[in-house]
């Protein structure tokens, strides 16, 4: 019969022909019609049992055997037919599934390629989600294809090719993603443009199409096999229907056996009822059963003990009389759950805080539930009430609540303390889920608890620190080891700051981790201080290196001019010696040699003076001790002086200097002497670091409110690394000395690295700017100075030059403890027609001044006895010394030295060695000023 039902459902499902459907329906009708007849025959057989029971029993046994054999044949044929039909159906379905999975391979590969392409184009990690999902699903789909074709040799031969081409495609996409993450968009784009990804995808499509073609070629064959299986099933179904008639006999025999078994079951049920009663007696909870009217039918011993009623006393009593319950607080009666279970037919639980009042008045807190008892038809015939004394449990719950309250109070105190801490404080569960942050975290990050709790803690991490932090945190979760790490978090304002993160596990008495406690301490200031210390150490190291280089260069620079001076002195000694011995040649060559030696010594001495002046200028400017004397000046005159100052070096190196000035007059509010120093330094550098015959150009032009001077050369140039440091003190271009022109190198030996520093400081003091430009070593350099201009003054300055020579009758007192210095200065003044006297200490100076009454006193400061300041103060206190011109000639040139000399009464302060022409000009200026008064 089961076979017929199966065939019937199969026919309807697959819409087979009506002939097959007719035979199936006919078999079912026969079964349902003959079954009552067979049942009546069985009853008659029971009535006729007697002396002939043995033969009938034999027939029943024989019929049972025959039925079993027929049913076995029926079952076997049905199972085989169904199995064959199922196999053919599965084969067809598998073909379609294989084709679908193969097409899914191409679809997933395209999805992965789309996600990879989105990430390469945008750099947004969200595009990697479809890529990751597709790559994960791709392997599963290929495994499903492998399972479906595991018996197909042809497809199995193509499967490794498919795997290899899919793997090659995935590898290509991984390379593109890696390039995008590490090298940027351009590198990934170049990889995509190679076409490797497209070739890999085309190869996958080709292999999939070949495998799909194989499956499609098998479809007609498998469809024919399915049709044959169907026809075979119809034929065997007809035979099975006939065999079902024989199975009716077996049914009658089975029915008879059932009736016998029912009698036996009645006895078994009675025994089970007794066992159930024993079981109820053994249950540790109180159990009361009732009938449909709610009268007690049974109590187990536990229920007797809790209620105070024996089973004999409680039998047939109303349940509410035996089982009295009230609310623990209000003392009002509580609805009995048993009556609700009887009325609604559902399981009902007792309300909390319920007390059972026993027969003897003892009260016990209980917990119970009631369930309906149903008969075979499902009708409620009673209920069972199960309850238990929960006194111990309530006591434990009270203790647990008290402990929880204590822990909650402790936790609340901890949270209050944590919110006041300057550090970020956090707590996680054992699995790493963050369940608490203090207020410091939310204030810094600017997020809500919903955004930060859980696993959202790493979102504000600096991208460079994320993987390191996640790996270390994962290691601690696995091993239970505490950790310490330095990482950067982004604030709500977008600023990254350094934090020191620490985490410790909190363990219970058994050693199990119950919490992770951690802090994050802001160490940004410490990091910055550390970086500043490192930078300071590097700067100090660099400064120390430059200082050593400077000292070595200074020694070299000072020795260079001293060597020719010493040689010149020796030559002069030999000439003087030859003249005194009368061995001179008398042709005048000795005079020419002396002139050459003197010119050389003047040049070398001038170089040394310039070197020392530059050093003093840099020192004074760095300490803010230099005061400019700004006045309206015309720029072209300044540039002409600078050009004239450097022209001898340019001409000596056979270099070409071109100067272009604006046609109109341009005025600056500036210290003309300092600007001449700026431009002459730049021109000297251009000449010094250019080859023989090089071209040097000075171009000046005026814009709206500024004047720009560009000094450009074709010399050794400046490297890109050196350009940012070219104006630093003691900085020299690498290889400058070796590549400097011959004449310049002889005169300056590459310089001390202070000229450009002095230039920048002086330009900055004039509120201007100076920039250096160079295309690289060997490609020349350009220095551009920009200064603010002013409107032309109302009256042009007097351009007439003062007479540099004093009158023949000046009376000059020269005071110096260095007798050679006093002697040479005396000789120079005598050449100009002046009258001089000398003194070599302070007391002698006062005495000589009182007797000589000079117009001018040139005083050294460091004198024995009384120093120069004291001598000047004494002279000023005398009536004859009030109008005397006092000039300090000293090696001390700091600003404080000048202030002290001015306070002592000096009219001027000059630093040794002094240029005689400059001294004459100063004296003429001072004497003209005295006459004008």
């Amino acid at each position: 019969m089961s076979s017929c039902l199966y065939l019937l459902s199969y026919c309807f499902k697959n819409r087979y022909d009506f002939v097959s459907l007719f035979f199936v329906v006919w078999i079912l009708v026969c079964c349902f019609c003959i079954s009552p007849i067979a049942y009546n025959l069985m009853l008659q057989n029971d009535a006729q049992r007697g002396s002939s029971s043995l033969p009938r029993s034999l027939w029943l046994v024989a019929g049972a055997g025959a039925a079993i054999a027929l049913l076995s044949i029926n079952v076997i044929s049905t199972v085989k037919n169904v199995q064959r039909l199922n196999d053919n159906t599965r084969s067809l379905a598998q073909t379609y599934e294989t084709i679908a999975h193969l097409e899914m391979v191409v679809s997933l590969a395209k999805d992965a390629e789309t996600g990879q392409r989105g990430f390469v184009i945008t750099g947004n990690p969200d595009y990697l989600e479809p890529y990751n999902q597709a790559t994960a699903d791709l392997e599963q789909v290929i495994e499903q294809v492998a399972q479906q074709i595991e018996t197909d040799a042809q497809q199995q031969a193509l499967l490794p090719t498919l795997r290899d081409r899919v793997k090659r495609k995935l590898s290509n996409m991984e390379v593109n993603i890696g390039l995008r993450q590490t090298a940027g968009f351009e590198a990934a784009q170049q990889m995509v443009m190679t076409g490797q990804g497209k070739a890999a995808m085309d190869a996958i499509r080709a292999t999939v199409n070949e495998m799909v073609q194989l499956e499609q070629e098998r479809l007609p064959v498998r469809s024919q096999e399915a049709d044959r299986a169907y026809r075979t099933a119809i034929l065997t179904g007809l035979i099975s229907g006939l065999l079902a008639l024989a199975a009716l006999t077996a049914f009658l025999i089975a029915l008879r056996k059932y009736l016998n078994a029912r009698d036996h079951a009645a006895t078994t049920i009675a025994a089970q009822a007794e066992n159930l009663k024993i079981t109820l007696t053994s249950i540790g909870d109180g159990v009361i059963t009732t009938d449909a009217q709610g009268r007690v039918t049974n109590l187990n011993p536990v229920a007797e003990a809790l209620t105070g009623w024996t089973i004999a006393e409680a039998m047939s009593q109303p349940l509410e009389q035996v089982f009295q319950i009230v609310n623990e607080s209000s003392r009002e009666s509580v609805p009995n759950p048993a009556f609700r279970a009887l009325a609604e037919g559902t399981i009902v639980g007792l309300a909390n805080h319920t007390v059972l009042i026993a027969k003897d008045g003892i009260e016990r807190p209980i917990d119970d539930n009631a369930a309906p008892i149903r008969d075979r038809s499902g009708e409620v015939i009673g209920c069972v009430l199960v309850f238990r004394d929960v006194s111990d449990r309530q006591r434990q719950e009270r203790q647990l609540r008290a402990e929880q309250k204590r822990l909650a109070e402790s936790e609340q105190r901890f949270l209050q303390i944590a919110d006041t801490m300057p550090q970020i404080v956090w707590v996680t569960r054992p699995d790493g889920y963050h369940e608490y942050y203090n207020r410091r975290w939310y204030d810094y990050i600017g997020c809500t608890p919903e955004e930060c709790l859980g696993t959202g803690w790493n979102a504000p991490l600096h991208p460079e620190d994320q993987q390191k932090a996640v790996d270390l945190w994962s290691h601690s979760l696995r091993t239970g080891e505490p950790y310490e790490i330095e990482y950067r978090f982004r604030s709500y304002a977008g600023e990254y700051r350094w934090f020191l993160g620490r985490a410790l596990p909190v363990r219970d008495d058994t050693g199990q981790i119950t919490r992770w406690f951690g802090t994050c301490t802001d160490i940004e200031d410490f990091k910055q201080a550390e970086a500043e210390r490192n930078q300071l150490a590097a700067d100090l190291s660099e400064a120390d290196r430059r200082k050593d280089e400077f000292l070595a260069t200074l020694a070299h620079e000072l020795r260079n001019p001293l060597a020719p001076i010493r040689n010149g002195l020796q030559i002069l000694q030999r000439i003087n010696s030859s003249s005194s011995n009368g061995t001179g040649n008398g042709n005048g060559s000795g005079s020419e040699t002396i002139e050459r030696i003197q010119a050389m010594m003047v040049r070398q001495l001038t170089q040394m003076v310039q070197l020392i002046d530059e050093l003093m200028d840099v020192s004074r400017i760095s300490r803010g001790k230099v005061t400019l004397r700004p006045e309206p000046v015309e720029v072209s005159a300044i540039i002409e002086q600078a050009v004239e100052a450097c022209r001898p070096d340019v001409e000596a190196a056979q270099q070409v200097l071109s100067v272009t000035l604006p046609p109109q007059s341009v005025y600056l509010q500036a210290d003309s002497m300092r600007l001449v120093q700026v431009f002459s330094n730049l021109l000297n550098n251009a000449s010094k670091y250019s080859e023989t015959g090089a071209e040097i150009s000075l171009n000046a032009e005026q814009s709206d409110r500024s004047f720009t001077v560009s000094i450009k050369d074709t010399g050794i140039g400046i490297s890109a690394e050196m350009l940012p440091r070219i104006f630093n003190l003691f900085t020299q271009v690498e290889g400058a000395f070796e590549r400097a022109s011959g004449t310049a190198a002889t005169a300056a030996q590459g310089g001390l690295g202070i000229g450009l520093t002095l230039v920048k400081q002086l330009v900055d003091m004039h509120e201007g700017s100076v920039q250096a430009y160079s295309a690289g070593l060997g490609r020349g350099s350009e220095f551009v100075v920009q200064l603010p201009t002013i409107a032309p003054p109302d009256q042009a300055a007097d351009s007439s030059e003062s007479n540099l020579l004093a009158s023949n009758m000046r009376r000059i007192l020269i005071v110096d403890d260095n007798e050679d210095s006093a002697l040479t200065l005396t000789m120079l003044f005598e050449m100009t027609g002046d009258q001089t006297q000398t003194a070599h200490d302070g007391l002698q100076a006062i005495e000589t001044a009182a007797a000589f009454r000079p117009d001018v006193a040139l005083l050294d400061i460091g004198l024995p006895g009384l120093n120069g300041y004291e001598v000047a103060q004494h002279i000023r206190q005398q009536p004859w010394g009030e109008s005397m011109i006092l000039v300090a000639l000293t090696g001390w040139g700091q600003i404080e030295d000048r202030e002290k000399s001015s306070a002592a009464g000096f009219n001027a302060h000059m630093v040794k060695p002094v240029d005689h022409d400059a001294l004459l000009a100063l004296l003429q200026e001072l004497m003209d000023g005295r006459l004008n008064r």
Side-chain angles (χ1 to χ4, degrees):
M1 184 178 295
S2 62
S3 301
C4 295
L5 291 175
Y6 172 79
L7 289 174
L8 179 61
S9 64
Y10 190 84
C11 290
F12 276 111
K13 184 185 298 183
N14 295 281
R15 301 180 181 179
Y16 286 121
D17 56 84
F18 286 101
V19 175
S20 300
L21 182 62
F22 170 78
F23 280 107
V24 173
V25 173
W26 180 79
I27 293 172
L28 290 175
V29 170
C30 289
C31 291
F32 283 106
C33 291
I34 295 175
S35 294
I37 298 174
Y39 181 74
N40 291 330
L41 290 175
M42 186 182 67
L43 293 178
Q44 292 176 6
N45 182 52
D46 289 341
Q48 293 177 357
R49 290 181 65 181
S51 59
S52 60
S53 60
L54 181 59
R56 281 195 293 271
S57 298
L58 291 175
W59 279 105
L60 289 174
V61 172
I68 291 172
L70 290 173
L71 285 174
S72 299
I73 295 172
N74 183 24
V75 169
I76 292 172
S77 72
T78 301
V79 168
K80 287 188 175 181
N81 288 328
V82 171
Q83 182 178 3
R84 186 179 300 109
L85 186 61
N86 183 54
D87 290 341
N88 290 326
T89 304
R90 186 184 299 110
S91 178
L92 282 174
Q94 181 175 345
T95 299
Y96 288 112
E97 288 178 359
T98 301
I99 293 173
H101 281 104
L102 287 171
E103 293 174 347
M104 191 179 298
V105 169
V106 176
S107 176
L108 288 173
K110 291 171 63 179
D111 291 344
E113 186 178 50
T114 301
Q116 168 244 294
R117 185 182 299 112
F119 174 76
V120 168
I121 293 173
T122 66
N124 188 350
D126 293 341
Y127 283 95
L128 293 181
E129 293 181 4
Y131 165 80
N132 294 331
Q133 184 63 42
T135 55
D137 294 342
L138 193 58
E139 184 64 26
Q140 296 179 2
V141 172
I142 293 177
E143 288 302 322
Q144 291 174 352
V145 171
Q147 293 174 4
Q148 291 167 349
I149 65 172
E150 61 183 355
T151 59
D152 191 332
Q154 288 182 293
Q155 295 285 39
Q156 283 291 331
L158 294 174
L159 183 60
T161 302
L162 178 61
R163 288 182 186 274
D164 179 69
R165 292 180 174 180
V166 169
K167 182 177 180 181
R168 190 178 308 164
K169 177 61 178 175
L170 293 177
S171 176
N172 174 262
M173 290 188 289
E174 288 177 357
V175 170
N176 292 341
I177 292 172
L179 285 175
R180 183 62 174 88
Q181 292 173 334
T182 58
F185 172 75
E186 289 80 7
Q189 184 184 27
Q190 291 179 1
M191 184 62 185
V192 171
M193 294 301 292
T194 61
Q196 295 179 8
K198 181 178 183 303
M201 179 58 74
D202 293 341
I204 292 173
R205 288 194 181 96
T207 305
V208 168
N209 291 338
E210 186 176 357
M211 297 177 74
V212 168
Q213 182 65 31
L214 286 175
E215 292 295 325
Q216 290 177 344
E217 290 174 358
R218 294 186 176 93
L219 279 176
V221 177
R222 291 175 178 173
S223 297
Q224 293 175 2
E225 292 177 352
D227 291 339
R228 286 196 298 271
Y230 163 70
R231 289 192 294 270
T232 302
I234 292 296
L235 180 61
T236 55
L238 292 174
I239 298 173
S240 298
L242 296 174
L243 294 176
L245 294 175
L248 290 175
T249 304
F251 169 74
L252 296 175
I253 296 173
L255 183 60
R256 181 64 180 174
K257 288 183 179 181
Y258 168 74
L259 294 174
N260 292 334
R262 188 175 62 180
D263 296 337
H264 178 70
T267 305
T268 303
I269 289 172
Q272 291 176 347
E274 184 64 23
N275 291 336
L276 178 61
K277 184 176 181 180
I278 296 172
T279 302
L280 290 176
T281 303
S282 304
I283 293 177
D285 292 341
V287 179
I288 300 176
T289 60
T290 71
D291 58 15
Q293 286 72 40
R295 292 186 296 269
V296 176
T297 58
N298 195 8
L299 282 81
N300 70 346
V302 177
E304 289 179 331
L306 294 177
T307 62
W309 289 74
T310 65
I311 188 171
E313 294 171 341
M315 190 65 67
S316 299
Q317 294 292 331
L319 179 62
E320 62 270 20
Q321 185 174 349
V322 176
F323 190 74
Q324 297 184 31
I325 52 177
V326 296
N327 183 271
E328 183 178 14
S329 302
S330 65
R331 308 304 295 177
E332 296 181 357
S333 297
V334 175
N336 197 305
F339 295 112
R340 184 178 169 188
L342 289 171
E344 299 178 2
T346 59
I347 299 175
V348 181
L350 187 66
N352 293 329
H353 308 292
T354 300
V355 174
L356 171 65
I357 302 176
K359 186 177 181 181
D360 54 7
I362 297 176
E363 297 183 0
R364 296 181 178 88
I366 63 169
D367 180 17
D368 75 346
N369 61 76
I373 301 174
R374 301 178 183 273
D375 59 11
R376 291 182 180 273
S377 63
E379 185 177 354
V380 177
I381 60 174
C383 80
V384 56
L385 182 68
V386 181
F387 58 98
R388 65 193 62 84
D389 186 354
V390 294
S391 301
D392 292 340
R393 191 183 73 184
Q394 285 188 350
R395 182 170 59 255
Q396 294 172 356
E397 288 177 351
R398 285 194 296 271
Q399 294 175 351
L400 179 60
R401 285 194 295 271
E403 181 65 18
Q404 290 176 342
K405 181 179 179 181
R406 184 185 66 78
L407 292 176
E409 291 174 351
S410 300
E411 184 175 356
Q412 186 63 30
R413 287 195 299 271
F414 162 75
L415 296 180
Q416 292 174 352
I417 295 173
D419 274 341
T420 62
M421 294 177 66
Q423 291 90 356
I424 294 172
V425 179
W426 51 267
V427 179
T428 76
R429 296 194 305 232
D431 60 357
Y433 181 93
H434 282 64
E435 60 183 11
Y436 169 76
Y437 291 101
N438 69 341
R439 177 52 50 191
R440 175 80 171 90
W441 170 264
Y442 298 121
D443 291 344
Y444 180 78
I445 299 300
C447 66
T448 63
E450 292 76 13
E451 295 171 337
C452 293
L453 294 180
T455 57
W457 63 272
N458 61 343
L461 268 175
H462 194 284
E464 296 177 0
D465 301 333
Q466 285 191 0
Q467 192 59 47
K468 174 181 65 174
V470 171
D471 292 344
L472 187 57
W473 178 225
S474 301
H475 174 76
S476 293
L477 288 179
R478 290 194 308 270
T479 62
E481 298 175 359
Y483 78 84
E484 182 174 305
I485 185 176
E486 293 182 0
Y487 41 31
R488 289 160 288 182
F489 279 112
R490 184 184 65 250
S491 69
Y492 68 93
E495 172 194 13
Y496 281 102
R497 294 182 67 85
W498 280 99
F499 285 83
L500 173 63
R502 293 188 177 97
L504 291 173
V506 180
R507 302 179 186 271
D508 58 16
D509 296 338
T510 65
Q512 295 295 319
I513 296 177
T514 60
R515 289 287 188 276
W516 280 87
F517 174 80
T519 60
C520 298
T521 305
D522 191 330
I523 59 172
E524 179 66 25
D525 294 340
F526 170 78
K527 279 287 190 180
Q528 290 183 358
E530 184 180 31
E532 290 173 359
R533 287 196 302 272
N534 294 337
Q535 184 60 43
L536 179 59
D539 292 344
L540 288 174
S541 176
E542 176 63 16
D544 186 62
R545 183 189 66 79
R546 297 211 316 260
K547 180 260 297 179
D548 292 341
E549 291 181 356
F550 163 72
L551 291 176
T553 305
L554 177 61
H556 181 74
E557 293 289 339
L558 292 176
R559 288 191 184 99
N560 279 338
L562 288 175
I565 291 175
R566 182 174 182 177
N567 294 336
L569 290 173
Q570 290 178 350
I571 293 172
L572 292 176
Q573 288 176 352
R574 292 183 180 181
I575 292 175
N576 291 333
S577 176
S578 298
S579 299
S580 62
N581 294 332
T583 58
N585 53 21
N587 57 7
S589 60
S591 300
E592 294 177 0
T593 302
I594 291 173
E595 291 177 0
R596 290 173 54 198
I597 294 300
Q598 288 176 342
M600 177 272 295
M601 295 175 69
V602 168
R603 286 196 306 272
Q604 299 301 327
L605 183 61
T606 301
Q607 178 185 335
M608 291 183 64
V609 171
Q610 181 180 358
L611 182 66
I612 295 172
D613 285 343
E614 286 185 354
L615 282 172
M616 300 306 296
D617 281 345
V618 169
S619 175
R620 288 194 294 269
I621 292 174
S622 300
R623 293 184 290 115
K625 300 299 184 179
V626 169
T627 302
L628 297 181
R629 297 177 181 176
E631 59 182 352
V633 296
E634 206 281 320
V635 179
S636 61
I638 293 174
I639 293 178
E640 288 173 0
Q641 293 181 53
V643 170
E644 289 303 317
C646 72
R647 190 175 297 279
D649 289 339
V650 173
E651 293 176 351
Q654 300 179 3
Q655 296 165 342
V656 178
L657 173 61
S658 61
V659 179
T660 303
L661 297 176
Q664 72 278 11
S665 297
V666 180
Y667 290 88
L668 307 176
Q669 187 73 15
D671 187 325
S672 58
M673 182 184 71
R674 293 300 184 179
L675 286 188
V676 170
Q677 190 175 4
V678 167
F679 294 124
S680 62
N681 271 352
L682 293 177
L683 287 170
N684 281 330
N685 271 0
S687 174
K688 182 188 305 181
Y689 298 119
S690 296
E691 303 291 342
T692 301
E695 296 181 359
I696 302 172
S697 63
L698 186 152
N699 295 312
E701 59 182 14
Q702 181 187 15
S703 58
D704 292 338
R705 295 184 178 180
S706 65
F707 182 73
T708 303
V709 178
S710 168
I711 298 176
K712 192 172 184 180
D713 62 68
T714 58
I716 66 173
I718 306 171
S719 65
E721 297 79 9
M722 185 61 64
L723 268 177
R725 300 185 289 116
I726 195 66
F727 293 105
N728 292 347
L729 188 61
F730 308 142
T731 298
Q732 297 190 54
V733 178
E734 295 180 3
F737 173 70
E738 292 79 359
R739 300 192 61 180
S741 64
T743 303
T746 302
Q749 302 298 334
L752 294 177
I754 60 177
L756 290 180
T757 303
L758 187 61
V759 166
K760 185 174 189 333
Q761 291 174 339
L762 290 174
V763 171
D764 289 342
M765 292 177 68
H766 283 85
E767 299 181 358
S769 65
V770 58
Q771 299 291 333
Y773 303 94
S774 177
L777 292 176
R779 304 181 68 179
S781 58
E782 180 182 10
F783 288 84
V784 179
V785 178
Q786 193 171 35
L787 295 166
T789 60
I790 61 172
D794 294 336
Q795 295 180 352
D798 184 10
S799 60
S800 62
E801 298 182 357
S802 299
N803 184 8
L804 298 181
L805 298 177
S807 65
N808 294 330
M809 297 304 295
R810 283 182 301 197
R811 299 164 62 84
I812 300 175
L813 173 62
I814 300 171
V815 183
D816 197 330
D817 59 341
N818 188 325
E819 295 185 9
D820 290 338
S821 178
L823 177 61
T824 55
L825 194 56
T826 298
M827 294 171 62
L828 288 173
F829 277 112
E830 289 178 351
M831 292 179 181
T832 58
D834 295 307
Q835 185 179 358
T836 64
Q837 285 196 17
T838 61
H840 304 301
D841 59 52
L843 293 175
Q844 185 183 8
I846 294 175
E847 294 174 358
T848 305
F852 185 52
R853 302 292 177 90
D855 299 316
V856 178
L858 304 178
L859 299 177
D860 188 13
I861 299 298
L863 296 173
L866 299 177
N867 60 36
Y869 301 132
E870 295 170 333
V871 172
Q873 290 172 352
H874 180 80
I875 291 176
R876 287 298 185 211
Q877 294 172 0
Q878 309 305 316
W880 47 265
E882 293 179 357
S883 61
M884 187 182 300
I885 295 174
L886 301 181
V887 178
L889 295 183
T890 178
W892 304 99
Q894 303 298 325
I895 187 66
E896 54 267 24
D897 301 320
R898 297 177 184 273
E899 292 173 352
K900 289 173 66 175
S901 65
S902 177
F906 283 97
N907 299 96
H909 187 112
M910 298 188 74
V911 180
K912 294 180 181 179
V914 177
D915 181 77
H916 188 61
D917 290 338
L919 178 56
L920 290 176
L922 175 63
L923 294 180
Q924 184 66 48
E925 181 182 351
L926 293 174
M927 296 190 74
D928 290 344
R930 185 178 64 175
L931 292 174
N932 292 333
R933 290 199 301 269

